[in-house]
Amino acid sequence: MGHADRSRELAGLLQLLHRARDAVSAEQLGFIIVNESQQLLPYRQAAVWREGLHRHVTALSGLAELDPTAPYMQWLSRVFRHLAEAGGPEVGQDSRLLEAGDLPTELAEDWSSWLPAHALWLPLGEQGTWLLAREMPWSDYERKLAEELAHGYGHALLRFAPRRNWRELARQWLRPGRKQRRLLIAALLLACMPIRLSVLARGEVTPQNPVLLRAPLSGVIDRIQVQPNQRVKAGDPLFDLDATSLAGQFAMAARERDAAQESFRASAQLAVTDDKGKLAMAQDRAKLEEKSIAAEYTGLELQRLHVTAPSAGVVVFSDRNDWQGKAVTVGEKVMTLADPAHVELAAWLPAAEAIDVAPGGKITLYPNASPTESYDAEILRVAYKAEAVEGGLLAYRLQARFVDGDKPRLGQMGTARVYGDWVPLIYYALRRPLTAARQWLGW
């Protein structure tokens, strides 16, 4: 083939692509594909098959109007469906050579009645396919030329492609075929893949066996003698209650005791010489014992105003200024004495996302202050009733012990991941949407 022939073919290719881009409708473009392409490629018959929601033959060479009920149209539609389900061209090629032997027996028997011996099947992108048939075999050069032309036609068909909605896409994906079956099997296996169910909860490191330091009497806190999180030894002073009122009561009780003692001494001297004084002495003795007991009790109460540490540890409370001058009632918690070496994890599992957890389950703490560290723990106790927490949410309280040697610092806050049973991936992904739908629908 000479240089002039190649130039004419190149000019013909450019002209056909230009005509395809200028087409104002899909019908006009189909006419160009099946009829005017003979200017570049010699063939006897051509057909265009469009993909989409309604797959059908849209153009035939030599025919202006198509009759879907015609035998040739019905046979050709079955051929295109078979080719679409069988797969595209081989790897590295953009076309496929076809003969009668490449089709099933029921289709191959009618090949000679409808098509010449040699056919060329070319994909038009995602829009459809193009079939060319003639009596002579196709050369490699003609095949490459047809592939380039089909690529341009496919790009031009995109202008007239209908907007694909979700129904069309779903039908395309679910259309029977080898590729769809493989994707369906892969999706089914992925949906059944087991995964550990888990929920995020708010976590805090708390003392394991804390000693609650309460107000011994009702009164006003006069002075806090320690700082928050300060280490103390047994017997160290912690806080004092205001002793003004009780000190006055002790002074009054001591004076009444002294007066009763003086009265008893006088009665005892009189009873030595007067038998009538013995009765007065007995009364004064009882009064002295009463006043002594009252004075002794008031003195003990005065000593209880000074609270000391019962053992060594770290005192945990909010702020000194929050407590100094505050009125407290007897038994009210003021601070906690904890051992930093013995800590545990407290987590609050939201009631809306509660999963089936039991003692012995796994929970992991991710501290806010240490983003690169995590601590594993084992659940010890699970509250059977949800309680209100910060933000007005209901949550179940979980207590867990740390299983590793390294333990977080007392008072650390973070996010706790609570682990449940193993469930399929589809259940893990749809658990919350199904719960919300069930609550909304009421079933």
Side-chain angles (χ1 to χ4, degrees), residues 19-30 32 156 159-160:
R19 289 270 296 151
R21 290 193 297 268
D22 289 342
V24 296
S25 65
E27 291 75 13
Q28 181 181 0
L29 180 57
I32 294 172
R159 293 178 51 197
F160 310 107

Side-chain angles (χ1 to χ4, degrees), residues 274-289:
D274 187 0
D275 293 338
K276 295 181 180 180
K278 293 181 179 180
L279 179 60
M281 183 185 68
Q283 294 176 348
D284 290 340
R285 177 183 296 173
K287 186 176 181 180
L288 175 60
E289 292 177 354

Side-chain angles (χ1 to χ4, degrees), residues 49-52 124-129 154-155 157-158 160-162 164:
W49 171 266
R50 291 295 301 273
E51 295 288 347
L124 300 174
E126 296 182 358
Q127 305 305 311
T129 53
H155 188 270
L157 281 171
L158 288 175
F160 310 107
R164 304 171 70 182

Side-chain angles (χ1 to χ4, degrees), residues 197-201 349-350 353-355 416-420 431-432:
L197 186 62
S198 63
V199 174
L200 299 180
L349 180 64
E353 301 180 5
I355 59 177
R417 181 176 290 277
V418 184
Y419 294 93
R431 184 177 68 90
R432 292 183 181 178

Side-chain angles (χ1 to χ4, degrees), residues 14 81 316 318 403:
L14 295 177
R81 288 193 184 95
V316 181
S318 56
V403 296

